[in-house]
């Protein structure tokens, strides 16, 4: 089934640019995407956050386009656009009427070859990103807690720093850092262009060759993150801040996207916390013991390339003892490890995972994401062909096995939020 739905043709220009094309003439629309194999994993201390900063810089104009003019042109032609940065890659996309293919190709190629990297643009976007960090992380209820969790769980791997970066690094980034990052990270041989929709393969290749063919290849960014050693005992920390409720966040190391255990782990998270029939909701939320208890992993194709974290967190209701809540959450997980899950729970999880995934396949945009992201993170878009088969292969025995394998105390990192008064918070010092 997926071989037909995701039957991309793969091409490569002489400069190394990969091109994936999927013709679908059902509707007169197209999705044009450029995926760069550069994300926070390619950073180092001192330049953390540069990948996300560059996502902003790419909209600041080029030799031919003024600031934000790219967005205005796309929207004026009936399209929508956006970009996002992950641990492993950065993606830009435009969804447009079918007749606007050359517009998308020319605009993306323009900013790939002629981006305006100026001190003024850097300063503008630097402050935008710092404000974003303050809003999304520093001033959010649990943003700093989650950052602490990743920094503690990973000892060597670059997943230990946040995608948005540390504030002190964002402040210190220079125009020289940006130019070097742009030269290597945004080279054609480090990118995958994906076109899905009402297009003709020959026309796509002709246009991409015309607008991208002159760009020179470059030595790609280093992509050899240090291998994370097996965790040999629980790590635990306390984080104090002004807050209304107590909470804990725990991370368990699990494999990367290309591993088959991804599928039963997705089902395990679904059974534990998806919907009002889930184990966590029925035991902890329904009775008012907790505001929220969840097990979270990233859905496909956003699951990280390298070993990731399955996160379990609990937010205690007022008057609930957090230590007791945490202990009872681990008891519920031990019950899965000891007794397994039912056929009914497994069937419901599989149906939910399949339904959500198949619903996404209805859009050219999501099919493009699957092709481009799997091409970068999993060695080729063909690996996405096995997703439905992976869901179908989930069994109660496999769910129990992965719970026993990965949800062990020795493999667990826990950060506890302890609310403090504004006065004590002042004594503890500023956060940024």
């Amino acid at each position: 089934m997926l071989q037909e739905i995701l039957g991309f043709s793969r091409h490569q220009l002489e400069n190394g640019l990969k091109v994936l094309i999927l013709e679908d003439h059902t509707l007169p629309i197209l999705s044009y995407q450029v995926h760069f194999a550069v994300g926070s994993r390619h950073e180092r201390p001192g330049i953390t956050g540069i990948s996300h900063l560059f996502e902003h810089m790419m909209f600041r104009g080029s030799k031919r386009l003024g600031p934000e003019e790219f967005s205005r042109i796309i929207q004026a032609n009936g399209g929508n656009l956006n970009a996002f940065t992950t641990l492993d890659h950065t993606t830009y996309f435009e969804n447009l009427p079918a007749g606007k293919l050359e517009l998308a190709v020319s605009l993306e190629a323009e900013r790939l070859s002629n981006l305006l990297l100026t001190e003024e643009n850097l300063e503008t976007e630097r402050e935008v990103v710092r404000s974003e960090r303050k809003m999304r992380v520093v001033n959010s209820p649990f943003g700093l807690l989650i950052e602490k969790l990743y920094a503690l769980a990973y000892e060597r791997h670059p997943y230990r720093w946040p995608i948005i970066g540390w504030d002190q690094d964002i402040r210190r980034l220079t125009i020289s850092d940006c130019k070097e990052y742009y030269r290597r990270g945004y080279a054609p041989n480090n990118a995958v262009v994906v076109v899905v929709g009402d297009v003709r393969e020959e026309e796509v290749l002709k246009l991409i060759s015309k607008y991208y063919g002159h760009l020179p290849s470059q030595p790609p960014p280093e992509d050899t993150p240090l291998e994370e050693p097996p965790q040999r005992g629980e790590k635990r920390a306390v984080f104090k801040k002004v807050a209304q409720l107590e909470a804990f966040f725990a991370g368990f190391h699990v494999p990367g996207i290309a591993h088959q255990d991804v599928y039963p782990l997705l089902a395990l998270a679904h059974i534990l916390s998806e919907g009002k029939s889930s184990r966590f909701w029925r035991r902890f939320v329904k009775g008012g013991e907790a505001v929220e208890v969840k097990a979270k992993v990233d859905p496909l194709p956003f699951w990280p390339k390298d070993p990731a974290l399955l996160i379990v967190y609990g937010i205690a209701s007022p008057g609930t003892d957090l230590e007791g809540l945490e202990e009872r959450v681990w008891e519920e997980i031990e019950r899965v490890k000891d007794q397994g899950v039912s056929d009914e729970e497994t069937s419901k999880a599989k149906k939910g995972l399949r339904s959500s995934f198949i619903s996404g396949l209805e859009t050219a945009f999501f099919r493009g994401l699957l092709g481009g992201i799997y091409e970068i993170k999993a060695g080729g878009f063909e690996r996405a062909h096995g997703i439905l088969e992976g869901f179908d292969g989930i069994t109660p025995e496999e769910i129990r096995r992965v719970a026993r394998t990965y949800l062990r105390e020795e493999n667990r990192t826990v950060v506890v939020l302890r609310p403090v008064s504004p006065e004590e918070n002042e004594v503890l010092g500023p956060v940024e």
Side-chain angles (χ1 to χ4, degrees):
M1 174 185 177
L2 288 183
Q3 284 86 340
E4 296 179 4
I5 297 176
L6 300 175
F8 294 93
S9 62
R10 181 190 284 111
H11 311 268
Q12 187 164 335
L13 303 189
E14 290 185 4
N15 60 12
L17 178 69
K18 287 185 179 180
V19 183
L20 303 182
I21 304 170
L22 181 60
E23 291 190 28
D24 179 0
H25 305 289
T26 306
L27 296 170
I29 57 174
L30 66 88
S31 183
Y32 188 88
Q33 306 174 10
V34 188
H35 305 267
F36 294 95
V38 63
S40 60
R41 68 182 285 122
H42 302 92
E43 300 166 357
R44 66 178 189 276
I47 63 166
T48 67
I50 194 170
S51 300
H52 176 254
L53 175 69
F54 237 83
E55 177 196 323
H56 288 250
M57 295 286 282
M58 286 286 279
F59 291 91
R60 289 299 301 170
S62 65
K63 290 181 180 179
R64 189 165 64 87
L65 302 172
E68 307 303 325
E69 188 176 355
F70 185 108
S71 300
R72 290 195 294 270
I73 292 172
I74 293 295
Q75 292 164 352
N77 281 271
N80 61 68
L81 73 163
N82 213 327
F84 58 90
T85 307
T86 75
L87 297 167
D88 303 302
H89 65 94
T90 305
T91 292
Y92 301 84
F93 64 86
E94 297 83 46
N95 299 314
L96 285 156
K100 303 298 181 178
L101 173 62
E102 186 167 7
L103 177 69
V105 178
S106 62
L107 289 177
E108 284 288 5
E110 165 66 16
R111 65 176 174 180
L112 185 58
S113 55
N114 295 313
L115 189 67
L116 283 184
L117 292 175
T118 66
E119 292 284 358
E120 180 183 1
N121 284 346
L122 173 59
E123 290 306 316
T124 298
E125 294 309 314
R126 186 202 312 275
E127 293 311 308
V128 170
V129 171
R130 292 187 67 204
S131 296
E132 182 182 350
R133 174 178 168 78
K134 190 170 184 180
M135 179 183 67
R136 289 172 43 189
V137 179
V138 177
N139 293 337
S140 72
F142 307 113
L144 290 170
L145 197 71
I146 296 169
E147 282 193 349
K148 181 68 175 177
L149 175 66
Y150 275 83
L152 186 61
Y154 289 99
E155 296 178 2
R156 303 177 185 175
H157 197 282
Y159 287 173
R160 70 188 312 272
W161 50 73
I163 294 170
I164 202 168
W166 304 120
D167 187 72
Q168 66 175 4
D169 288 348
I170 299 169
R171 293 199 311 266
R172 296 171 183 171
L173 287 171
T174 68
I175 198 68
S176 178
D177 293 329
C178 292
K179 288 179 178 179
E180 177 63 12
Y181 177 93
Y182 179 62
R183 182 179 71 86
R184 299 181 66 179
Y186 280 64
N189 53 306
N190 201 48
V192 180
V193 171
V194 183
V195 186
V196 181
D198 189 12
V199 297
R200 297 293 178 185
E201 183 174 306
E202 299 80 3
E203 181 188 9
V204 173
L205 290 174
K206 180 180 178 181
L207 289 171
I208 290 177
S209 296
K210 173 183 175 181
Y211 287 100
Y212 288 88
H214 67 285
L215 298 175
S217 61
Q218 299 286 344
E222 293 183 13
D223 190 18
T224 54
L226 293 171
E227 185 174 340
E228 191 66 26
Q231 191 166 317
R232 301 181 64 84
E234 183 187 63
K235 302 176 186 178
R236 184 171 283 267
V238 173
F239 191 87
K240 294 182 177 182
K241 63 168 288 187
V242 176
Q244 300 299 314
L245 300 172
E246 291 186 302
F248 74 89
F249 279 70
F252 298 85
H253 295 279
V254 294
I257 191 172
H259 200 288
Q260 284 298 113
D261 282 355
V262 162
Y263 299 104
L265 284 165
L266 283 164
L268 173 62
H270 195 286
I271 289 169
L272 288 174
S273 62
E274 186 65 32
K276 293 185 177 181
S277 64
S278 66
R279 293 192 175 203
F280 284 169
W281 195 91
R282 286 187 286 112
R283 178 167 181 183
F284 302 111
V285 181
K286 184 178 181 180
E289 182 178 2
V291 174
E292 191 173 32
V293 179
K294 289 280 189 179
K296 290 190 63 120
V297 287
D298 290 316
L300 300 175
F302 300 106
W303 193 293
K305 178 179 180 178
D306 287 343
L309 291 184
L310 182 152
I311 294 177
V312 175
Y313 68 89
I315 304 169
S317 297
T320 296
D321 174 60
L322 183 68
E323 290 184 9
L325 173 64
E326 183 188 342
E327 182 179 343
R328 288 184 287 279
V329 170
W330 303 146
E331 287 175 357
E332 191 63 39
I333 289 175
E334 288 301 314
R335 187 171 290 110
V336 172
K337 293 159 70 174
D338 293 340
Q339 303 173 13
V341 298
S342 68
D343 290 337
E344 181 181 358
E345 287 176 308
T346 304
S347 177
K348 186 174 183 179
K350 290 167 67 172
K351 288 178 181 177
L353 292 169
R354 281 183 60 94
S355 175
S356 178
F357 181 75
I358 291 173
S359 177
L361 290 175
E362 295 177 359
T363 69
F365 171 63
F366 184 68
R367 279 175 280 157
L369 291 182
L370 282 168
I373 295 174
Y374 267 83
E375 188 75 17
I376 285 175
K377 293 200 299 189
F381 71 85
E382 294 87 354
R383 189 174 287 273
H385 293 167
I387 292 176
L388 290 179
E389 186 178 283
F391 291 153
D392 290 340
I394 297 170
T395 64
E397 293 75 22
E398 282 291 283
I399 295 171
R400 185 184 185 191
R401 179 185 63 78
V402 295
R404 287 180 162 185
T405 300
Y406 303 110
L407 303 194
R408 295 177 290 106
E409 181 180 346
E410 298 82 6
N411 191 39
R412 187 170 71 203
T413 300
V414 184
V415 180
V416 175
L417 172 62
R418 295 295 186 197
V420 297
S421 67
E423 292 75 21
E424 185 177 354
N425 191 61
E426 287 292 324
V427 173
L428 291 171
V431 292
E432 56 180 28

